[in-house]
Amino acid sequence: MSLFVLRQNSLRAALIATTLGLFALSWAVPSNSSAQTPPNRRPANAANVAIPAESKATVDVLGMKLGKSSAADIQAVLKGVTPQLAIAEQPGWLVVKVSKSGMKLDTRVPNSEYLNYISGTTLPFRSQCQDAGGGRGNCEFIFVYFSLPPPAPGVAVAVHRQFLFSEKPRLQNVVEGLVQKYGEPGFQSNYNNSNVEFTFIWAWDFAGKPIRVDAQHPCANNNSFITVRDPVAIAEHSKPALQRGCAAYLQIKINADNGLATMMRLHARDHFATYAAALRAQAFAATAMANSDQDRLNRASGAPVPKN
């Protein structure tokens, strides 16, 4: 067996063993729950970097590829989930901050309707997934958010998924599956060393290569999963991560009980695709609002209003 294979196997074994608390590595997670990067693997892109014109990074969740998958692609994936999901589409529209009476209020942008998200929820869904564990099937919900317009419909840029196991698998098996699919995470933590909540984060640069992150990195400390429709707020949310070299990320939290996985929560976002769409949306919104203001002035003055 080659040295490379041996090293990869040892990394995977170390990750799983650390997760399960079977032994502590020299860089084990401290009790304050801040996950740490091994000292010989410093976090990438500590300084601000220029945001390039394109990105090769993408995140694959259940076959849904952020930054690429269309609404039809997402529908097809969700229809194939077992147990069956109730699928719904939620429209939205752009909003911008407009000063009125000394306050900045969210104002709808004309002609900015788009597909905000597609959701899938286990049938039937009980409050807090109460029937999960009762032999009725895994209880989950999935929300897939789309890029701001134009164009509309856009592409999937973010996923939020919560999954409650009816038949609780071994935590080790869940972790092995994640490592097999995504590779070694760039960040991990064991909350308060309690072995009840584990966090794993994978992050990729603009070339699509995995990067290490620390607890302060925007792609690791991304607690607010933003879903607003204000293109300025969306852009400002993704910009810090991009400036630190993180084009896309995947965060998975696993709750466990006596070595068995009980619940999994997933957040993923293609920051680059989100940001690029938000910049286009800002330009579109500015033009649409200016045209709307001009229309009002024309109506007030009795001048003809241009037809769209």
Side-chain angles (χ1 to χ4, degrees), residues 58-182:
T58 189
V59 185
D60 185 320
V61 178
L62 295 176
M64 301 180 290
K65 295 179 174 58
L66 301 188
K68 296 180 179 179
S69 291
S70 66
D73 296 331
I74 301 304
Q75 286 273 7
V77 170
L78 296 183
K79 288 177 181 178
V81 172
T82 302
Q84 184 181 359
L85 301 178
I87 301 171
E89 294 188 355
Q90 179 63 45
W93 51 84
L94 297 180
V95 298
V96 293
K97 298 290 185 183
V98 175
S99 295
K100 294 181 180 179
S101 303
M103 297 185 295
K104 286 190 173 183
L105 303 177
D106 284 344
T107 303
R108 181 170 177 167
V109 176
N111 303 315
S112 65
E113 293 77 11
Y114 74 108
L115 176 59
N116 187 9
Y117 64 81
I118 297 177
S119 64
T121 307
T122 301
L123 287 172
F125 185 83
R126 299 286 192 270
S127 177
Q128 301 298 316
C129 299
Q130 290 177 356
D131 58 350
R136 301 185 186 180
N138 297 325
C139 187
E140 70 177 307
F141 62 78
I142 304 172
F143 286 79
V144 183
Y145 295 88
F146 289 83
S147 55
L148 300 182
V155 295
V157 294
V159 177
H160 173 42
R161 182 190 187 200
Q162 183 167 305
F163 190 95
L164 203 63
F165 296 98
S166 60
E167 297 182 4
K168 301 175 178 60
R170 294 178 59 199
L171 177 62
Q172 178 177 349
N173 293 342
V174 176
V175 174
E176 284 180 335
L178 293 173
V179 174
Q180 182 177 7
K181 180 170 183 177
Y182 297 110

Side-chain angles (χ1 to χ4, degrees), residues 191-214:
Y191 183 72
N192 283 339
N193 286 337
S194 59
N195 294 332
V196 297
E197 181 181 279
F198 302 92
T199 300
F200 305 93
I201 295 180
W202 291 262
W204 295 270
D205 65 14
F206 300 108
K209 296 180 180 180
I211 60 173
R212 289 283 186 177
V213 294
D214 58 22

Side-chain angles (χ1 to χ4, degrees), residues 5-71:
V5 173
L6 285 171
R7 180 178 181 276
Q8 291 297 100
N9 289 343
S10 64
L11 284 172
R12 181 171 299 178
L15 168 64
I16 295 168
T18 302
T19 304
L20 298 177
L22 299 179
F23 63 84
L25 300 178
S26 61
W27 47 278
V29 178
S31 60
N32 65 3
S33 81
S34 295
Q36 304 299 320
T37 299
N40 63 334
R41 299 289 297 277
R42 296 180 59 190
N45 304 297
N48 284 357
V49 299
I51 301 174
E54 62 180 22
S55 169
K56 295 181 180 179
T58 189
V59 185
D60 185 320
V61 178
L62 295 176
M64 301 180 290
K65 295 179 174 58
L66 301 188
K68 296 180 179 179
S69 291
S70 66

